[in-house]
Amino acid sequence: MSNTKGLLHKRSLMCLATAMLLSHQASAQLHTVNTPPESMLVLATEQFEQGAYKNAAQSAAKYMSAMHYTLHAINTDAADKAGYVLVTSKLKIDEQGSDVMAVDYLNKTANPAYKQRAAFALAQYYFRHNQLVSAIYYYELAGIANLTNKEIADAKFELAYCYFN
């Protein structure tokens, strides 16, 4: 009798263990190839907002290169945002040739918000490099509609300084 109780007890434990294993979801990291491309853009945006401009530029570049290899329709808003993050990050870290890249971006993008914000970043780049005549054009292109209050104050002061000199 005790033998059958022991056998019944073992079966109950095995059934319980099997049920627990089957009901538990296995979670693991996604392989980089399997992650959606938008996650790279989200990462680039977060890095940009935190001031990690070099990392943001790399993440935005990865997103843009992944966009070319996907078969899905290209999201132009996301492409404009990735271009903005890439260009502005490179301007902020003073990477060689970033001003030419920014001018090219400004000529290609149709999104006024990203265009104006990129123009502001380019104007500040020229201001930091004492190219005040070039800075004036991009400060005026940037306007104030898509800038924060602090950026507006900086832009007005820097533009006045450019006109003064």
Side-chain angles (χ1 to χ4, degrees), residues 68-110:
H68 296 298
Y69 295 114
T70 60
L71 299 175
H72 304 292
I74 295 175
N75 182 352
T76 56
D77 288 336
D80 285 344
K81 184 176 186 177
Y84 162 74
V85 170
L86 177 65
V87 165
T88 307
S89 296
K90 288 185 178 229
L91 287 169
K92 292 203 183 262
I93 60 173
D94 289 331
E95 188 171 300
Q96 187 73 23
S98 59
D99 57 335
V100 175
M101 181 186 251
V103 170
D104 185 49
Y105 173 77
L106 289 172
N107 291 331
K108 287 182 180 177
T109 189

Side-chain angles (χ1 to χ4, degrees), residues 33-134:
V33 176
N34 297 329
T35 59
E38 288 74 24
S39 65
M40 240 347 133
L41 181 57
V42 170
L43 178 64
T45 305
E46 288 174 359
Q47 291 168 336
F48 181 79
E49 290 170 354
Q50 294 170 356
Y53 299 119
K54 189 167 189 155
N55 293 339
Q58 290 173 348
S59 297
K62 282 183 186 177
Y63 171 78
M64 292 176 78
S65 68
M67 256 184 4
H68 296 298
Y69 295 114
T70 60
L71 299 175
H72 304 292
I74 295 175
N75 182 352
T76 56
D77 288 336
D80 285 344
K81 184 176 186 177
Y84 162 74
V85 170
L86 177 65
V87 165
T88 307
S89 296
K90 288 185 178 229
L91 287 169
K92 292 203 183 262
I93 60 173
D94 289 331
E95 188 171 300
Q96 187 73 23
S98 59
D99 57 335
V100 175
M101 181 186 251
V103 170
D104 185 49
Y105 173 77
L106 289 172
N107 291 331
K108 287 182 180 177
T109 189
N111 189 321
Y114 293 127
K115 188 173 199 163
Q116 291 171 357
R117 294 198 53 78
F120 174 68
L122 183 57
Q124 285 191 316
Y125 174 86
Y126 284 138
F127 182 81
R128 284 192 312 269
H129 289 93
N130 206 24
Q131 298 175 359
L132 303 180
V133 175
S134 298

